Amino acid sequence: MHVFVLADPARCIGCRACEIACVAAHMKHDMGQAMEDSLPFSPRLTLIREAGVTAPIQCRQCEDAPCAAACPTGAVTSNGRVVTITSTLCCGCKACLAVCPVGAMQIGLVAGEHALPVAYKCDLCSGHDTPACVAVCPADALRVFTKENLQHVAGSRRQQSARQLAEPGYSRET
Ligand code: SF4
Ligand code: SF4
């Protein structure tokens, strides 16, 4: 199972530290110099504000990767751990963006990647032990989900559901 980063909206305070850390982790330039040079700010996760909650949305590193299946140029591939984009192969056609079920894929200018808009998304900060967004979040709202984490979450939810079923007054009638 691929690992991926997931946000807890109950913890997220919407500070955007994750977006800044993401850009810094992927940029070869100094951030201050990048701002002076007006280089594109292209975080690989997107903070959304909706119905009173905030949370960053990012790639789930899908095992079946519909984005890879849709890509006509072979720019999106999976190595069994992470789904990655080879920007030099990307023609910016947006097919991957159209099929992503969570809206994680983005198209735009990325500093140092390509002169034209290309697809980009979370790559788990390859080369780093911990993704930059997870490491920087001051509210501990982001975590790396592994197969073991997910099994634990599923088990906890089942127990919670069983307790609700056992509560006095619970009825299967709706
Ligand atoms: S935008 Fe790029 S990565 Fe996405 S489907 Fe088109 S060529 Fe492939
Ligand atoms: S970009 Fe979307 S479709 Fe592709 S692996 Fe990530 S979540 Fe899945």
Side-chain angles (χ1 to χ4, degrees):
M1 177 181 283
H2 290 190
V3 303
F4 59 95
V5 176
L6 192 62
D8 179 352
R11 287 178 174 270
C12 177
I13 55 175
C15 66
R16 306 194 94 113
C18 52
E19 290 188 342
I20 295 166
C22 179
V23 171
H26 289 89
M27 198 174 257
K28 294 179 182 72
H29 313 71
D30 170 75
M31 275 291 274
Q33 188 63 46
M35 285 176 71
E36 274 186 31
D37 295 346
S38 300
L39 294 180
F41 182 82
S42 306
R44 290 155 197 247
L45 73 175
T46 308
L47 190 83
I48 53 128
R49 299 178 193 276
E50 196 68 44
V53 297
T54 60
I57 302 296
Q58 62 207 98
C59 177
R60 301 290 199 277
Q61 315 297 345
C62 311
E63 273 83 1
D64 62 344
C67 53
C71 178
T73 66
V76 189
T77 53
S78 169
N79 65 3
R81 179 175 181 272
V82 60
V83 177
T84 53
I85 300 167
T86 305
S87 52
T88 49
L89 295 178
C90 176
C91 66
C93 71
K94 306 181 184 68
C96 55
L97 182 149
V99 298
C100 175
V102 296
M105 191 67 82
Q106 301 180 76
I107 306 279
L109 291 173
V110 184
E113 295 265 332
H114 206 284
L116 296 172
V118 288
Y120 61 93
K121 65 167 196 71
C122 169
D123 60 2
L124 296 175
C125 291
S126 51
H128 294 69
D129 289 340
T130 304
C133 55
V134 176
V136 80
C137 178
D140 200 21
L142 290 163
R143 57 192 292 208
V144 178
F145 267 77
T146 62
K147 182 180 177 184
E148 290 72 30
N149 292 145
L150 286 171
Q151 285 173 340
H152 177 72
V153 169
S156 301
R157 296 265 160 81
R158 282 189 213 106
Q159 287 173 350
Q160 189 181 6
S161 298
R163 281 195 292 272
Q164 285 173 343
L165 284 173
E167 278 175 10
Y170 176 82
S171 168
R172 292 165 71 175
E173 306 291 328
T174 55

